Amino acid sequence: MTRFLRQMFTIAAKDLRSELRTKEAVNASLSFALVILLLFSFAFDPTSDMTREISGGLLWLVFAFAGVLVLNRSFARELNNDCLDALISSPVPGPALFLGKAIANYVLLLGIECVCLPIFGIFYNIHWTGQPAWLALVMLLGTWGMTVVGTVFSALTVNMRLRELMLPMLVYPIMIPCLMASMQLTTPLLASEPISGDMLAWVRLLVGFDIIFTALAVTLIDTVLVG
Amino acid sequence: MRQKILIGIGLIAAGLLLRNIWLMLTNLPDEAFQGAIFRIIFFHVPAAFTAFLCFFASLISGIAYLRTQNLKWDAFSVSVTEVGLAFGAANLITGMIWARIIWGIWWTWDWRLTSMLLCWLLYAGYLVLRRAVEEPTERARLSAVMSILSFAVVPFVFFSIKWFRTQHPQPVLYGQGKMDTGYRAMLYGNWVPLLLFAIILIAVRMEQERRQRELDALRREIHAF
């Protein structure tokens, strides 16, 4: 078990190190997030009360669009010099490889979200600090759901034609329950209302989604990578 | 022989369908609030049943392929998914026609409509994915995984129905359903011909897949020389 964890964290550290040294996906993703934030301002009046009502949805759309750029690179990065074949033939088991990559993506996505959130707050005049603990929990759960689905599809599409197009097309419909729950929860949180009563069902949905898709991804990853 | 059986099933399906339509138009009274248009439910709901049965079959055949590595399961999987998509489209379109008359709008972002559209898109994604992989065994393997992951989302889609405010008529078959037994009998009765029709389509589609495999094998043989 400790061996598995060590291998997992080695992969995660490797991915994070190479990403933080080149910053290719993170830079692209952050600038893309800024572009989306700017584009939203043309779609509706950014100063109106309506912004507050759809703030959760806007925020998660930014996260989802920007996130896919990072997720797309996750396995595609290993194509150069046949690194993917080397990783698959290394003694690291498939699940450890997958979870390592997922953890690296998770950290990157959370980092990007933490940068986007205050910018979003400034641009759209939203006070997001009202319920910090709940907001952090929703972001942690929602982002893990996005990450785990995105990483498994990154592996699935890595050898395909038109990979960059395939990933978003396949990944967003599967992510929808997770994104929808996160959006539903984030909107009241950005208006500083706590989560209670019926809203807890969405938290349960997020937890269930995370658990089931993590289990499925870990089970299926060997099939996806090796066959 | 196989073809004769299929034609036989087709004739039975057509006969049953004609009989059901005749009964629907002559024997069953109009629904009290909706008038004549309510009869679309006899196609709308069985089409949804068939679509989900097909998607479930796609899940089972996906798992069976991964266990046996037999490409026949892959052919079955793509056939049922395509037929499921056709019936899903029938469900969506009949629903839209009904909505235009009863609600006055073609579409509303009610969660149940959204979730059906979402399931439809998921399985359309499955077909797109198949197109992007050339090698047959790799295609079979990856699309089996896609099929399993797609079906895993379906329960989430369905559970959220209960939590989302909804404009769609409340379910009439389960829960506190209040459907008249005559209507209910017709609803299930009309599922039979639709299901038979689906079986024929799947059988034809599988035959096409088998010939495709044969052609591919011949082509490889020619290239080998």
Side-chain angles (χ1 to χ4, degrees):
Chain A
M1 195 62 208
T2 49
R3 193 183 143 92
F4 183 89
L5 290 177
R6 210 174 54 236
Q7 289 168 330
M8 190 174 86
F9 285 117
T10 309
I11 296 281
K14 169 198 90 64
D15 266 25
L16 280 174
R17 205 178 300 125
S18 83
E19 180 53 46
L20 291 179
R21 281 182 186 164
T22 60
K23 299 192 187 63
E24 49 177 0
V26 172
N27 278 344
S29 179
L30 271 177
S31 24
F32 188 49
L34 281 178
V35 171
I36 304 168
L37 281 173
L38 178 70
L39 281 178
F40 280 159
S41 72
F42 300 121
F44 53 89
D45 179 11
T47 50
S48 68
D49 282 344
M50 193 184 79
T51 317
R52 230 167 289 266
E53 282 166 35
I54 56 173
S55 54
L58 291 182
L59 191 63
W60 279 95
L61 279 183
V62 174
F63 291 170
F65 286 152
V68 161
L69 291 190
V70 171
L71 296 167
N72 212 346
R73 292 296 303 155
S74 180
F75 275 85
R77 180 189 296 132
E78 312 290 358
L79 283 177
N80 287 341
N81 303 323
D82 292 327
C83 293
L84 187 59
D85 292 336
L87 274 178
I88 291 170
S89 52
S90 72
V92 179
L97 174 61
F98 169 78
L99 286 174
K101 282 200 163 288
I103 290 169
N105 290 336
Y106 190 49
V107 173
L108 291 173
L109 285 189
L110 282 174
I112 290 166
E113 289 174 6
C114 288
V115 178
C116 289
L117 188 60
I119 298 177
F120 180 72
I122 292 168
F123 277 1
Y124 292 94
N125 190 26
I126 280 162
H127 306 287
W128 49 276
T129 44
Q131 295 283 344
W134 271 110
L135 190 62
L137 181 73
V138 171
M139 276 169 66
L140 288 172
L141 289 173
T143 310
W144 180 252
M146 257 167 58
T147 308
V148 94
V149 172
T151 310
V152 81
F153 274 92
S154 173
L156 197 85
T157 54
V158 69
N159 283 318
M160 278 179 198
R161 278 183 285 146
L162 304 173
R163 185 187 56 236
E164 278 83 4
L165 287 177
M166 290 299 286
L167 185 72
M169 220 218 84
L170 299 176
V171 125
Y172 287 130
I174 298 226
M175 275 181 189
I176 281 179
C178 167
L179 284 178
M180 200 180 76
S182 307
M183 288 172 178
Q184 291 288 322
L185 287 165
T186 307
T187 302
L189 288 175
L190 291 180
S192 301
E193 292 161 16
I195 301 290
S196 60
D198 286 351
M199 291 303 276
L200 284 170
W202 292 111
V203 180
R204 282 199 290 274
L205 182 117
L206 266 185
V207 174
F209 186 94
D210 286 2
I211 292 173
I212 287 179
F213 276 87
T214 310
L216 270 176
V218 167
T219 321
L220 291 171
I221 194 67
D222 276 329
T223 316
V224 171
L225 288 175
V226 191
Chain B
M1 184 60 199
R2 184 191 157 89
Q3 207 158 11
K4 276 183 187 153
I5 294 175
L6 285 183
I7 291 173
I9 297 176
L11 286 175
I12 296 172
L16 275 173
L17 200 60
L18 279 176
R19 173 188 158 271
N20 284 346
I21 291 174
W22 175 254
L23 283 178
M24 267 175 229
L25 295 177
T26 56
N27 234 1
L28 283 180
D30 282 0
E31 209 259 351
F33 297 106
Q34 298 178 13
I37 187 69
F38 93 98
R39 288 183 180 83
I40 211 164
I41 197 178
F42 299 130
F43 294 90
H44 179 69
V45 176
F49 285 169
T50 316
F52 280 107
L53 203 63
C54 284
F55 295 153
F56 183 66
S58 169
L59 166 81
I60 299 292
S61 55
I63 295 171
Y65 173 76
L66 291 181
R67 285 192 168 264
T68 61
Q69 310 285 323
N70 185 341
L71 278 173
K72 269 187 187 162
W73 284 112
D74 182 55
F76 182 66
S77 187
V78 64
S79 311
V80 286
T81 307
E82 281 182 8
V83 174
L85 277 173
F87 278 89
N91 171 261
L92 285 170
I93 291 168
T94 49
M96 282 164 80
I97 295 170
W98 180 86
R100 180 75 184 92
I101 289 173
I102 299 293
W103 294 336
I105 41 174
W106 288 106
W107 185 265
T108 171
W109 288 102
D110 164 82
W111 182 240
R112 219 165 310 201
L113 277 74
T114 317
S115 54
M116 188 63 203
L117 182 65
L118 173 60
C119 289
W120 199 87
L121 282 175
L122 272 174
Y123 284 91
Y126 168 95
L127 292 185
V128 175
L129 178 137
R130 290 186 69 88
R131 297 238 152 203
V133 194
E134 295 277 347
E135 214 274 311
T137 50
E138 195 186 353
R139 179 171 58 212
R141 179 164 56 85
L142 295 183
S143 48
V145 171
M146 175 72 193
S147 179
I148 293 170
L149 289 175
S150 301
F151 201 83
V153 177
V154 174
F156 282 99
V157 166
F158 270 72
F159 278 124
S160 7
I161 293 170
K162 288 184 186 166
W163 304 335
F164 221 73
R165 211 171 34 145
T166 180
Q167 188 182 356
H168 189 282
Q170 286 308 303
V172 285
L173 295 174
Y174 56 92
Q176 303 157 338
K178 286 195 197 78
M179 196 184 214
D180 180 78
T181 44
Y183 289 167
R184 189 185 288 246
M186 176 54 91
L187 197 129
Y188 288 119
N190 211 34
W191 189 17
V192 178
L194 292 193
L195 209 52
L196 291 177
F197 191 47
I199 289 170
I200 298 169
L201 288 177
I202 292 166
V204 170
R205 190 65 188 82
M206 276 185 79
E207 184 62 20
Q208 286 176 345
E209 280 291 310
R210 193 185 64 77
R211 287 188 184 156
Q212 181 68 48
R213 273 208 308 281
E214 227 165 76
L215 267 180
D216 288 344
L218 286 173
R219 200 171 286 146
R220 269 200 301 278
E221 218 166 283
I222 292 165
H223 281 296
F225 282 110

